[in-house]
Amino acid sequence: MSVARGSLYRTVQRTRNRGLTGLYLLVAALLVAYVSLFPGVLSLAGFSRFTQNWFPLALVTMAQALLMLNGGISLSIGPLVSLGAVIAATTMSGPLGVPGGIVLVAVTGLGVGAVFGTIVALFRLPAIIVTLAGSFIVGGVALLVLPKPGGMVPAWFSDALAGQYPTAFLLLLLVIVGWKVFMATPTGLGLYAAGDNPLGAFRSGVRVERVRIVAFALSGLLTVLAGLFVAAQTGSGDPVIGAPMTLNSIAGAVLGGVGFLGGRGTMRGALAGSLLLAAMINVMFFLGFPPVAQYVAQGLIIVAAVAVPELLSRRQRA
Amino acid sequence: MNRSLVTRVAAHPWVLTLVLVALVWIVAGFTLRGFGSWGHLRYLLELSAVIGIVAAGQTLVVIAGGIDLSVGAVMTVSAILLPLLSPADDPTGLAGIGATLAIATGIGILNGAGAAYLRVPPIIMTLAMATFLQGLLIIVAGGSAVSVSNPAVIWLGSARPLGLPAGVILWILVSAATLYALHRTPFGARLMAIGANPIASRLSGLAVDRASVRLYSASGFLAGVAGILLLGMNRQGYAGIGDPYLLSSIAAVVLGGTSILGGRGTYAGTVPGAILLVTSTALITVVNASPGWRSIMFGSLILALLLVSGREARR
């Protein structure tokens, strides 16, 4: 390995990119194929449309990766997306208006996440079960808020978020900057540390419980914001619209090389994974695959994405 | 005296689950009209049998430190494929059952091979398998409901030899076999060891890979049995018929005091866990709440039960 040429920062970043080269190449190849199949994506409207399909997936993948890096997992991503969508659709056209609706959605996400995190951290229950039980509760609340698809998001707000301008892409950049800033704080670093080795992190002064609760709260925030965006995209709310998001969020994070046991993986990998998934879904949609064939392909691709690097690394060791 | 009783109960979380079921049945039997009738209790047991059988495989997998998220999909596959695989000229219907169970077991073997030889984490392997099956099924079966005419399956879903529903008798047999396999055979001991510490097990010369292939094939087989039983009770198979049973199977395992982290647990807890789950769902239905409230109550109930019984020991 070459010795650090630039700053320490660059060296660290290079190390963190290691193992992701294959993924980046795959994503690049898929995007090239995509552009050659549908040159329209290069126009402003086409680019906006494509990033709008990617945006909610990117948000929930980040929400899932955030927890997985901390050694947790959430099976309530889907219902929480739905909850964000129905709250947005029922409040924004009411007296609270759009700003009030956004605040209410954000507070709900932070609150639900914090409650899950508190139960996991303080009562020492496994995250997978708490969020599994929680998915019923959150899904039920979404049904109470809006029993049938309906509600409304003001048209100007839909146009601003999911119109012909790439607002979604700019928002995603903003979220990524936010993640970078968060990773520069002690809590952000503690997130990785507590995921990799909770006891070691605790002995080094990381407040493991608090970090876990913060991780769940932030994850909840990202998830409901994805729901808010979906509501703006469709112009209305649907209490079960988030259902496929749970699997997709896990798939995106795993494709991006984020490990289940905590502390392994990077957010850039997870984002690349979600982009891969989004491009894949788009391509299959445009090629006229029936939605069910997408399931088959998705299942195969996820297994391959995990198995191939593992088999390659085993061959290298042997 | 009192304290030692509490300590003893805490040492066996499944006793707590059993006591809870008894308590719920007694209270509900006295307060709700018709709850305590034999017909109703028999119906609850029949519903529990489906969850109990699929949760038997899940218990084994969880004890060995894994998780099987494909059981719902395997049940659906079995329920839809069975009518297609039953030859019309077979008066017993056993050929169709055999073929279906072979496929369910095969799916389990694939899960196990993926987890063991490709090193795909079980949660991903089985989740991807579920997604894969979901798509494949609609391509193969076209997404319409199929009715069953297989005599053996109809018998299983409706007959009452000895006054007990055939499904419940099947559940008793499965329970006996599972408890025996788990606590009285080397295979069961291996599962506990792998769940407690896979690396130590491997270093001790245990064939971990082979054990997990057998493990997931058992889970696939049992999910297939549960799917066939469900089909017999329902008389119709359709896409999504097995979906609710994934969460129920995991909840039953955890309510029964089996550690989700593996290495510790027993099927003796999953049995009352399954009954508790079905009973509380039935009670929630009695309250006549909207689907939203029902879902909230179901989730809160599981969470509350977990806070009481499912707490992981501090390490």
Side-chain angles (χ1 to χ4, degrees), chain B residues 1-20:
Chain B
M1 169 72 195
N2 195 8
R3 181 151 173 230
S4 76
L5 182 72
V6 171
T7 327
R8 250 183 293 159
V9 169
H12 293 285
W14 62 272
V15 178
L16 196 74
T17 319
L18 201 60
V19 171
L20 216 54

Side-chain angles (χ1 to χ4, degrees), chain A residues 73 75 116 119 122-126 128-141 143-144 209 246-247 250-251 254 260 290 292-300 302-303 306-308 310-311 314, chain B residues 67 69 116-121 123-125 127-129 131-136 138-139 246-247 250-251 254 260-261 290-293 295-303 306-307 310-315:
Chain A
I73 192 167
L75 295 184
F116 285 170
I119 296 175
L122 299 186
F123 294 95
R124 311 220 167 207
L125 285 171
I128 184 168
I129 304 180
V130 172
T131 55
L132 185 60
S135 70
F136 283 94
I137 302 177
V138 174
V141 174
L143 276 175
L144 286 190
E209 265 97 13
T246 305
L247 171 65
I250 298 177
V254 169
F260 269 101
V292 288
Q294 295 178 23
Y295 284 127
V296 173
Q298 211 168 312
L300 288 175
I302 291 169
V303 171
V306 182
V308 169
E310 172 66 34
L311 293 177
R314 224 187 314 172
Chain B
I67 195 158
L69 297 182
Y117 299 113
L118 298 182
R119 299 265 180 279
V120 182
I123 185 169
I124 302 189
M125 186 63 217
L127 196 61
M129 179 61 85
T131 316
F132 179 79
L133 290 177
Q134 202 179 348
L136 201 64
I138 299 182
I139 294 174
L246 167 60
L247 305 186
I250 298 173
V254 176
I260 194 79
L261 304 175
S290 72
W293 276 114
S295 177
I296 293 175
M297 284 191 275
F298 184 63
S300 314
L301 185 98
I302 293 180
L303 208 54
L306 285 173
L307 286 174
R311 193 183 293 204
E312 293 293 337
R314 283 169 189 261
R315 301 192 167 188

Side-chain angles (χ1 to χ4, degrees), chain B residues 13-253:
Chain B
W14 62 272
V15 178
L16 196 74
T17 319
L18 201 60
V19 171
L20 216 54
V21 170
L23 223 61
V24 170
W25 275 35
I26 291 169
V27 171
F30 277 111
T31 49
L32 291 172
R33 269 176 86 79
F35 183 93
S37 73
W38 167 233
H40 185 251
L41 293 184
R42 189 173 57 196
Y43 177 61
L44 287 184
L45 281 181
E46 219 177 336
L47 290 180
S48 311
V50 180
I51 297 184
I53 291 172
V54 60
Q58 192 72 265
T59 307
L60 298 178
V61 172
V62 168
I63 284 180
I67 195 158
D68 190 343
L69 297 182
S70 70
V71 289
V74 174
M75 285 178 69
T76 308
V77 165
S78 314
I80 289 191
L81 282 190
L82 186 117
L84 303 177
L85 291 176
S86 302
D89 55 350
D90 178 16
T92 57
L94 292 177
I97 292 185
T100 308
L101 288 181
I103 288 179
T105 314
I107 295 171
I109 290 176
L110 285 181
N111 274 334
Y117 299 113
L118 298 182
R119 299 265 180 279
V120 182
I123 185 169
I124 302 189
M125 186 63 217
T126 53
L127 196 61
M129 179 61 85
T131 316
F132 179 79
L133 290 177
Q134 202 179 348
L136 201 64
L137 198 66
I138 299 182
I139 294 174
V140 171
S144 53
V146 286
S147 356
V148 63
S149 56
N150 184 318
V153 174
I154 291 178
W155 181 84
L156 189 65
S158 54
R160 292 201 185 120
L162 314 172
L164 273 176
V168 174
I169 295 177
L170 181 67
W171 186 23
I172 294 173
L173 295 178
V174 167
S175 304
T178 308
L179 280 170
Y180 179 80
L182 193 56
H183 299 293
R184 288 284 179 275
T185 64
F187 177 65
R190 270 182 226 135
L191 295 189
M192 298 264 183
I194 294 171
N197 192 336
I199 298 175
S201 309
R202 197 182 294 273
L203 293 177
S204 317
L206 229 161
V208 174
D209 292 346
R210 207 169 42 193
S212 50
V213 171
R214 286 167 67 185
L215 172 67
Y216 283 94
S217 63
S219 176
F221 173 81
L222 287 167
V225 173
I228 291 175
L229 175 60
L230 183 63
L231 177 68
M233 286 161 57
N234 242 10
R235 296 291 174 89
Q236 269 204 333
Y238 50 89
I241 188 174
D243 287 355
Y245 291 93
L246 167 60
L247 305 186
S248 303
S249 74
I250 298 173
V253 170

Side-chain angles (χ1 to χ4, degrees), chain A residues 132-207:
Chain A
L132 185 60
S135 70
F136 283 94
I137 302 177
V138 174
V141 174
L143 276 175
L144 286 190
V145 174
L146 198 66
K148 283 189 213 101
M152 212 193 63
V153 175
W156 66 266
F157 186 66
S158 287
D159 280 343
L161 269 188
Q164 53 193 354
Y165 296 105
T167 325
F169 185 66
L170 297 180
L171 285 176
L172 184 60
L173 292 183
L174 208 65
V175 173
I176 295 172
V177 170
W179 169 252
K180 280 284 173 199
V181 172
F182 176 63
M183 285 315 286
T185 65
T187 314
L189 278 176
L191 188 93
Y192 262 94
D196 193 23
N197 184 345
L199 190 60
F202 177 74
R203 297 256 158 87
S204 321
V206 175
R207 296 163 82 172

Side-chain angles (χ1 to χ4, degrees), chain A:
Chain A
M1 262 208 69
S2 66
V3 189
R5 268 190 313 242
S7 61
L8 176 66
Y9 177 78
R10 282 223 199 107
T11 320
V12 169
Q13 294 302 337
R14 242 202 325 274
T15 328
R16 302 188 69 210
N17 280 328
R18 204 167 42 190
L20 287 177
T21 328
L23 177 67
Y24 291 152
L25 289 177
L26 194 61
V27 172
L30 195 63
L31 288 182
V32 167
Y34 193 86
V35 168
S36 60
L37 275 172
F38 316 106
V41 75
L42 290 179
S43 71
L44 185 65
F47 179 74
S48 306
R49 184 75 50 207
F50 179 79
T51 47
Q52 280 157 15
N53 288 339
W54 176 32
F55 184 60
L57 194 58
L59 284 186
V60 293
T61 305
M62 286 184 83
Q64 189 67 269
L66 190 70
L67 292 177
M68 283 167 63
L69 290 174
N70 190 232
I73 192 167
S74 174
L75 295 184
S76 56
I77 296 271
L80 203 49
V81 168
S82 307
L83 184 62
V86 294
I87 291 180
T90 46
T91 55
M92 282 190 167
S93 46
L96 284 174
V98 168
I102 295 178
V103 169
L104 194 64
V105 167
V107 168
T108 308
L110 282 171
V112 171
V115 170
F116 285 170
T118 308
I119 296 175
V120 169
L122 299 186
F123 294 95
R124 311 220 167 207
L125 285 171
I128 184 168
I129 304 180
V130 172
T131 55
L132 185 60
S135 70
F136 283 94
I137 302 177
V138 174
V141 174
L143 276 175
L144 286 190
V145 174
L146 198 66
K148 283 189 213 101
M152 212 193 63
V153 175
W156 66 266
F157 186 66
S158 287
D159 280 343
L161 269 188
Q164 53 193 354
Y165 296 105
T167 325
F169 185 66
L170 297 180
L171 285 176
L172 184 60
L173 292 183
L174 208 65
V175 173
I176 295 172
V177 170
W179 169 252
K180 280 284 173 199
V181 172
F182 176 63
M183 285 315 286
T185 65
T187 314
L189 278 176
L191 188 93
Y192 262 94
D196 193 23
N197 184 345
L199 190 60
F202 177 74
R203 297 256 158 87
S204 321
V206 175
R207 296 163 82 172
V208 175
E209 265 97 13
R210 207 181 65 173
V211 166
R212 185 145 295 168
I213 295 172
V214 169
F216 268 93
L218 286 180
S219 164
L221 177 66
L222 289 174
T223 311
V224 289
L225 289 182
L228 177 83
F229 182 80
V230 169
Q233 212 175 9
T234 55
S236 64
D238 179 342
V240 293
I241 198 162
M245 290 290 194
T246 305
L247 171 65
N248 282 342
S249 67
I250 298 177
V254 169
L255 283 174
V258 179
F260 269 101
L261 301 174
R264 294 272 173 280
T266 54
M267 197 51 95
R268 67 192 70 161
L271 277 168
S274 73
L275 179 56
L276 182 66
L277 205 59
M280 232 163 60
I281 293 173
N282 266 342
V283 166
M284 286 191 283
F285 179 75
F286 283 123
L287 289 183
F289 275 52
V292 288
Q294 295 178 23
Y295 284 127
V296 173
Q298 211 168 312
L300 288 175
I301 288 171
I302 291 169
V303 171
V306 182
V308 169
E310 172 66 34
L311 293 177
L312 287 180
S313 75
R314 224 187 314 172
R315 180 168 299 172
Q316 269 169 7
R317 259 175 294 165

